[in-house]
Amino acid sequence: MDIQRKDVHNSDTPVLCRACESRHRGVCGALNGEQLLRLSKHSTRRTVEPGTELAGESTKTTSYSNIISGVVKLSKMMADGRQQIVGLQFAPDFLGRPFRTDNSVSAEAATEVQVCSFSKNLVERMISETPELERKLLEQTLNELDEARDWMLTLGRKTAGEKVASFLLLIATHAFPENESDSIEFELPMSRVDIADFLGLTMETVSRQLTKLRKQDIIRIVNNRHVTVPDISRLSEWAGY
């Protein structure tokens, strides 16, 4: 008897889902082909430009999204209008908090971002019906909690140089998690003003620390935004890891 292997290439997985990172490493990995088909029939995939708001703080939650590519920055606004970037999300993160009525943070595309969105009601029904999906979302939430605690250490105890190096390492390891080489290239997803905001530094301090890293040949910068890291281990050491 010919037993065909049920994998992503020959199963009943929808075509649109087969090359999607959320299918392989994200929350959709908890769903079978029939469930993916059900979800895909009610999903919308779109590409948004940098600066586009994906969710507004304190607005009603009507949908959730998988981040397919790009970087999303999460911010909170104070009563006097001051804003703080409180986190970054990358593919294949799940954007939104299930079962909450309102968005607790604003989400904005830091780079060009591709998302796959679905209605709040459908996702929450599927979570209730699928323990594996609920567990996958819990795992992601706990990972984000651990990362937030690590970032508290970065902001509270590290030097300015270590903070900037930690930010670059965050982008290098999260935007390209499958990179296995010692070197990596990427575009900075945020301006120096936003990087300074995220790190609790001034823009001038961020620029000085980037210059120091460049002079040490830990990074190379072209056109102000394109960064090359020749040896990721040296950047990690500079970041205090």
Side-chain angles (χ1 to χ4, degrees), residues 8-9 13-24 45 68 114:
V8 73
H9 299 295
T13 301
V15 174
L16 188 63
C17 301
R18 293 182 186 177
C20 177
E21 283 302 305
S22 287
R23 168 60 177 157
H24 298 285
R45 184 172 289 200
I68 308 302
Q114 189 177 45

Side-chain angles (χ1 to χ4, degrees), residues 74 84-88 151 155 167 170-171 190 193-201:
L74 308 177
Q84 174 68 44
I85 299 173
V86 296
L88 299 175
W151 203 248
L155 297 180
F167 170 78
L170 174 71
I171 303 303
M190 300 191 294
V193 173
D194 278 350
I195 295 171
D197 177 28
F198 188 42
L199 297 177
L201 303 171

Side-chain angles (χ1 to χ4, degrees), residues 106-125:
S106 65
E108 179 183 311
T111 64
E112 182 179 270
V113 172
Q114 189 177 45
V115 293
C116 186
S117 303
F118 358 80
S119 75
K120 178 179 188 293
N121 292 336
L122 174 60
V123 172
E124 291 180 357
R125 281 200 306 272

Side-chain angles (χ1 to χ4, degrees), residues 101-150:
T101 304
D102 300 329
N103 296 306
S104 60
V105 297
S106 65
E108 179 183 311
T111 64
E112 182 179 270
V113 172
Q114 189 177 45
V115 293
C116 186
S117 303
F118 358 80
S119 75
K120 178 179 188 293
N121 292 336
L122 174 60
V123 172
E124 291 180 357
R125 281 200 306 272
M126 295 188 73
I127 292 172
S128 300
E129 298 166 359
T130 314
E132 293 85 358
L133 178 58
E134 184 177 36
R135 178 177 177 176
K136 198 76 172 179
L137 284 165
L138 176 60
E139 287 177 353
Q140 178 174 307
T141 301
L142 292 175
N143 287 337
E144 289 181 2
L145 175 60
D146 289 342
E147 290 173 359
R149 287 171 173 168
D150 288 342

Side-chain angles (χ1 to χ4, degrees), residues 18 37 51 59 71-72 115 147 161 217 228 233:
R18 293 182 186 177
L37 183 61
T59 59
V71 182
V72 174
V115 293
E147 290 173 359
D217 199 35
T228 299
S233 62

